[in-house]
Amino acid sequence: MQHAEGLHRWQNSIRKFQIQQEENVEAKVEVKMTPKIMYDFMMYHTYRSFSGIFGIILGIAAFVMFGMTLGKTELSYSMIYCLFGVWFIVYLPVSLYTKSKRQVEKSEVFKNPVTYILNDEGIEIVQGEEKAQCGWNNILKVCRSKKNVLIYSGKRNAFVLPKEAIGEQYDTLVTLVQKNMPKKKVKL
């Protein structure tokens, strides 16, 4: 008797799974780009690359050298190390913020919200009357930063979906990405 009940539950689970597979699942995210969203993307993109990591290491090394040489050599030599440290650790993040702010304010694309509709075919991008489609085979990778899900369609270009805008659809979005992208290209 228990075996028959277990088999019945298993068959019901399979039917539910098949129904879910046949349903047209989609996630719809509306994004109004802001300097903060763009800054998070730029910081992630910059500091996840070799040059970004190398810049942090150089900045820390410069501050260490500043501390080690202060009072042991001429002040001008120590100050050069300090300036290099400030350049790599402070100036670059500040310049990324001003660049992201300028980019959002000056770009016509960011003046109006963009709606991203993710489904099994790919991503439909809608802004006003304009529509475009990007198939999953055109996506290089999908990852997440602290505040955003980043869907890269090029080495330096990504659809930036703030987690705040995704809201309760996050699990659906993750399911769609994992279902349609190779595992090695997904870091969510």
Side-chain angles (χ1 to χ4, degrees):
M1 188 74 133
Q2 286 180 337
H3 178 66
E5 287 176 358
L7 180 62
H8 182 67
R9 269 189 258 131
W10 182 74
Q11 288 171 334
N12 283 340
S13 296
I14 289 175
R15 274 192 222 109
K16 286 179 186 176
F17 178 77
Q18 288 170 337
I19 290 168
Q20 287 174 349
Q21 291 296 312
E22 293 172 337
E23 289 179 18
N24 190 11
V25 178
E26 70 177 27
K28 190 174 185 178
V29 181
E30 185 175 88
V31 177
K32 175 67 174 122
M33 187 57 68
T34 65
K36 283 184 179 182
I37 295 168
M38 181 62 74
Y39 179 65
D40 182 74
F41 165 68
M42 290 180 135
M43 287 290 287
Y44 179 88
H45 184 77
T46 301
Y47 286 105
R48 295 287 176 164
S49 67
F50 174 77
S51 61
I53 294 168
F54 189 67
I56 291 172
I57 292 169
L58 281 177
I60 292 169
F63 280 128
V64 168
M65 291 301 295
F66 168 71
M68 290 174 59
T69 60
L70 192 61
K72 296 179 182 164
T73 63
E74 289 184 39
L75 183 60
S76 58
Y77 289 121
S78 295
M79 290 308 294
I80 289 172
Y81 288 123
C82 183
L83 288 175
F84 275 117
V86 167
W87 172 267
F88 286 110
I89 303 295
V90 178
Y91 174 76
L92 288 178
V94 170
S95 71
L96 284 175
Y97 182 77
T98 57
K99 184 179 178 181
S100 60
K101 186 174 181 183
R102 188 172 46 242
Q103 188 172 349
V104 169
E105 289 172 352
K106 300 225 186 252
S107 176
E108 287 298 316
V109 174
F110 299 132
K111 298 250 187 262
N112 298 309
V114 177
T115 301
Y116 299 94
I117 303 166
L118 291 84
N119 56 38
D120 285 330
E121 279 81 54
I123 305 166
E124 183 178 0
I125 303 100
V126 181
Q127 187 175 38
E129 299 298 315
E130 301 289 322
K131 289 183 180 184
Q133 183 75 25
C134 183
W136 290 111
N137 59 332
N138 294 317
I139 303 298
L140 299 181
K141 69 178 180 176
V142 180
C143 53
R144 65 182 161 87
S145 66
K146 186 174 165 184
K147 298 178 184 176
N148 301 308
V149 172
L150 308 170
I151 303 174
Y152 279 85
S153 60
K155 256 187 147 176
R156 301 180 72 171
N157 301 324
F159 303 119
V160 181
L161 308 179
K163 290 177 185 175
E164 188 176 300
I166 297 168
E168 294 178 8
Q169 298 182 85
Y170 186 79
D171 290 339
T172 304
L173 186 142
V174 169
T175 300
L176 280 164
V177 168
Q178 290 175 338
K179 180 179 169 187
N180 293 290
M181 291 286 299
K183 199 173 192 172
K184 65 182 180 183
K185 293 184 176 186
V186 177
K187 294 181 181 153
L188 290 173

